[in-house]
Amino acid sequence: MLLVPLYEHPADRPEDWELLIRAADRLHSVVLNPASGPGEAPDERFAAVARRLCDAGVPVLGYADTDYGRRPHAAVVQDLLRYRDWYGADGAFLDQASPEPALLGHYGRLAVAARAAGARTLVLNHGVHPHPGYAELADLLVTFEGPWDAYRDAVVPSWTADHPAHRFCHLVYAVPPGAPAAELARERGAAVHCAVPGTGAHPWGTLPYALEAVR
């Protein structure tokens, strides 16, 4: 299954958003990110695609940066409430989540708040393998985010074998055509993934290779 973080405005890339909606049966979820967060006011274009994704049965995850535990709890929760109220989001994607055990309590409180804000699907994006205790907080842990060159040599800790594959996600960018990213994710115990060709500071403006057949 695909978790897709498409960080492009629907007015600029309408064909990509249409493709996502047509591929609903292949999607685990889609991350909604109007302005590195919900923005200061509702954006009707994002609201429209969010409604269509929800109508197609795709969880819509509101993007909120946690800055590795440094961002105040109230600011993160405000983002999640705006996603719920402005875009009908039914999930949360907490980015830059700390992997450290010392912050388990902080993220536990964020998880409770996210559920209270209507998040039926909660994703923590650590980008690396975190302390095992984080597996108790979220539905899905992103345990790798990085380029293909690093992914090829990534090591999976033994504790992940105690959890089913649908609890883990790998996000891989700068993936060359034909690279076996999906197969490698499955071998490493992650049933959810996204492999894109995008590079540089903004790799998530491209769609995953796995959706090419839908075009």
Side-chain angles (χ1 to χ4, degrees):
M1 296 291 282
L2 298 170
L3 183 156
V4 180
L6 180 58
Y7 299 162
E8 289 287 343
H9 197 282
D12 298 328
R13 301 282 288 279
E15 68 285 354
D16 285 354
W17 286 95
E18 288 295 330
L19 189 150
L20 273 184
I21 295 163
R22 294 202 306 272
D25 61 342
R26 305 184 64 178
L27 303 180
H28 171 279
S29 51
V30 172
V31 183
L32 204 70
N33 185 12
S36 295
E40 294 302 318
D43 184 316
E44 180 50 39
R45 295 292 190 101
F46 275 105
V49 294
R51 284 194 297 270
R52 293 180 64 194
L53 286 165
C54 287
D55 289 346
V58 179
V60 173
L61 312 178
Y63 173 98
D65 183 8
T66 71
D67 194 23
Y68 302 104
R70 293 185 290 264
R71 192 162 179 239
H73 174 98
V76 177
V77 174
Q78 181 185 58
D79 281 356
L80 299 181
L81 292 173
R82 285 178 171 178
Y83 279 113
R84 182 196 66 188
D85 297 341
W86 296 350
Y87 302 111
D90 54 3
F93 183 88
L94 302 186
D95 196 26
Q96 298 199 112
S98 171
E100 301 300 329
L103 287 172
L104 276 165
H106 172 74
Y107 282 94
R109 291 186 289 275
L110 281 178
V112 170
R115 301 295 189 191
R120 295 198 294 269
T121 302
L122 175 59
V123 180
L124 291 177
N125 181 17
H126 303 279
V128 298
H129 283 91
H131 183 277
Y134 285 97
E136 307 305 319
L137 304 182
D139 302 296
L140 187 69
L141 300 181
V142 178
T143 54
F144 181 90
E145 181 179 0
W148 170 252
D149 286 347
Y151 188 55
R152 290 181 301 177
D153 301 319
V155 176
V156 178
S158 59
W159 69 262
T160 61
D162 297 331
H163 301 275
H166 68 262
R167 300 290 306 283
F168 299 104
C169 173
H170 295 164
L171 301 178
V172 192
Y173 56 83
V175 179
E183 294 84 350
L184 200 52
R186 287 192 293 269
E187 289 174 10
R188 294 175 174 173
V192 184
H193 80 288
C194 188
V196 302
T199 60
H202 181 49
W204 303 114
T206 54
L207 285 174
Y209 284 110
L211 295 185
E212 288 299 321
V214 183
R215 290 190 184 275

